[in-house]
Amino acid sequence: MQLGMVGLGKMGGNMAERLRRAGHEVVGYDRSSPKRDVDSLPGLVEALSAPRVVWVMVPSGEPTRATVKELSELLSPGDVVIEGGNSKYTDDQVHDVLFREKGLGYIDAGVSGGVWGLENGYALMVGGSTDDVAKVQPIFDALKPPAPQDESGQEMPGAGFVHAGPVGAGHFSKMVHNGIEYAMMQAYGEGYELLAAVDLIEDVPGVVASWTQGTVIRSWLLDLLVRALDEDPTLEKIRGYAEDSGEGRWTVEQAIENAVPMPTIAASLFARFSSRQDDSPTMKAVAALRNQFGGHAVQAVRAQEAEKPA
């Protein structure tokens, strides 16, 4: 099957390579990558045979919105666009209206797998019409991980791929997936910190590694923490600063809107905000209050810190 891939970064480039290994023809475009096959979006559309399929794998937000809008003006009725970035599901619903007015198909695809997806495959959560998904199913089949087999050797359905519902359902599913990921990483991080804080534990990396087999908390994330500790046993080369890409915030927003309690995911999101503060204004206020009502000692700002420019 022929596919146009817009965006050849760490994810898009590896996805294009995995598809080529599976026998599909991929025409790639990226504004800056030397691996591109064409020099423009019009050139990409021209290089593809109708009905065209184009996968958009660029940063979420305005870059994605601008790319999708331009494609809507370049493509012909019957063509399909798959939007695979970490977009908010409400953007997909806006794009779907635009595409339907022009006779174009639109699919949103939540993609998980990171830099390991080239070899291991990508978990795919897609939203769109049944007809549009069926048109591009060979692409999804090539990207997803190999299906596990039952005792008789038959492939078990569902693993690594789901048609979650109409347009928007794919990115909504990926949003919740990433919210859960936030909470899992936070729990592993807190456990690591406690192990490292006590003198009783002499081999912190070894304890974490021991959890990867036979325990109920084993996971791929835990395997990656073991890998990180193997490279840097005390994580001294890494600053404790964690960004959030948006999905955690959107998950909590939807929890509020739908009155679904999510204390763990919400706490993990707020912990990321805390990681960006060298000196917490909240805790300054707490210290001042303790001093005011109880006379508790406060720590003064060191002279060199007080002299820092604002």
Side-chain angles (χ1 to χ4, degrees), residues 265-303:
I265 292 176
S268 67
L269 172 64
F270 295 144
R272 294 200 181 192
F273 297 162
S274 296
S275 79
R276 302 167 202 171
Q277 297 178 324
D278 292 328
D279 194 11
S280 167
T282 298
M283 296 317 296
K284 284 187 177 184
V286 169
L289 285 168
R290 293 183 75 247
N291 176 258
Q292 291 294 323
F293 73 70
H296 301 290
V298 295
Q299 293 185 6
V301 176
R302 289 179 295 181

Side-chain angles (χ1 to χ4, degrees), residues 66 76 90 94 217 221 223 257 287 290 300 303 305:
S76 304
T90 49
V94 173
I217 65 167
L221 279 176
D223 293 341
E257 186 170 325
R290 293 183 75 247
E305 293 180 351

Side-chain angles (χ1 to χ4, degrees), residues 33 51 85 89 95 107 150-151 165 180 187 194 224 238 278 280 291 294:
S33 174
Y89 76 98
H95 295 153
I107 296 171
D150 61 21
E151 295 179 356
I180 295 169
L194 181 56
L224 294 177
I238 301 173
D278 292 328
S280 167
N291 176 258

Side-chain angles (χ1 to χ4, degrees), residues 19-233:
L19 288 168
R20 289 182 175 123
R21 291 180 184 180
H24 297 284
E25 177 188 353
V26 180
V27 180
Y29 167 67
D30 190 294
R31 288 189 304 174
S32 57
S33 174
K35 297 180 180 180
R36 64 187 181 185
D37 302 303
V38 293
D39 295 326
S40 65
L41 274 182
L44 177 77
V45 172
E46 185 177 344
L48 299 173
S49 302
R52 304 171 185 85
V53 178
V54 179
W55 192 306
V56 177
M57 206 69 188
V58 300
S60 61
E62 189 52 36
T64 290
R65 288 191 285 268
T67 301
V68 168
K69 185 177 185 298
E70 185 174 355
L71 283 170
S72 74
E73 297 166 351
L74 293 170
L75 295 172
S76 304
D79 295 347
V80 176
V81 163
I82 306 168
E83 204 281 90
N86 284 327
S87 296
K88 195 170 185 179
Y89 76 98
T90 49
D91 283 357
D92 298 314
Q93 294 167 336
V94 173
H95 295 153
D96 186 43
V97 171
L98 172 64
F99 271 52
R100 287 186 182 280
E101 290 174 350
K102 300 188 176 203
L104 302 169
Y106 183 91
I107 296 171
D108 62 293
V111 183
S112 182
V115 297
W116 304 91
L118 173 59
E119 301 299 333
N120 299 338
Y122 300 87
L124 303 169
M125 297 143 269
V126 307
S129 73
T130 301
D131 288 344
D132 286 338
V133 172
K135 288 179 184 178
V136 300
Q137 191 64 52
I139 297 297
F140 296 141
D141 290 341
L143 288 173
K144 71 179 184 180
Q149 297 181 343
D150 61 21
E151 295 179 356
S152 65
Q154 297 296 313
E155 288 190 353
M156 299 172 63
F161 171 83
V162 62
H163 181 190
V167 169
H171 281 146
F172 193 99
S173 300
K174 180 59 162 42
M175 175 190 75
V176 176
H177 166 282
N178 281 26
I180 295 169
E181 179 185 292
Y182 276 41
M184 291 176 66
M185 288 192 288
Q186 183 67 23
Y188 286 138
E190 291 174 5
Y192 164 78
E193 182 174 358
L194 181 56
L195 289 171
V198 299
D199 294 334
L200 181 64
I201 305 300
E202 298 178 349
D203 184 2
V204 174
V207 171
V208 176
S210 76
W211 295 341
T212 62
Q213 300 294 325
T215 76
V216 295
I217 65 167
R218 63 189 185 274
S219 74
W220 185 34
L221 279 176
L222 188 62
D223 293 341
L224 294 177
L225 178 56
V226 170
R227 180 186 176 93
L229 291 173
D230 184 57
E231 296 172 353
D232 183 5

Side-chain angles (χ1 to χ4, degrees), residues 234-287:
T234 60
L235 300 182
E236 61 184 11
K237 301 175 184 177
I238 301 173
R239 182 184 170 201
Y241 181 105
E243 275 290 0
D244 69 288
S245 56
E247 292 92 343
R249 300 187 190 207
W250 303 335
T251 302
V252 173
E253 288 173 1
Q254 285 301 305
I256 294 169
E257 186 170 325
N258 291 280
V260 174
M262 280 192 168
T264 306
I265 292 176
S268 67
L269 172 64
F270 295 144
R272 294 200 181 192
F273 297 162
S274 296
S275 79
R276 302 167 202 171
Q277 297 178 324
D278 292 328
D279 194 11
S280 167
T282 298
M283 296 317 296
K284 284 187 177 184
V286 169

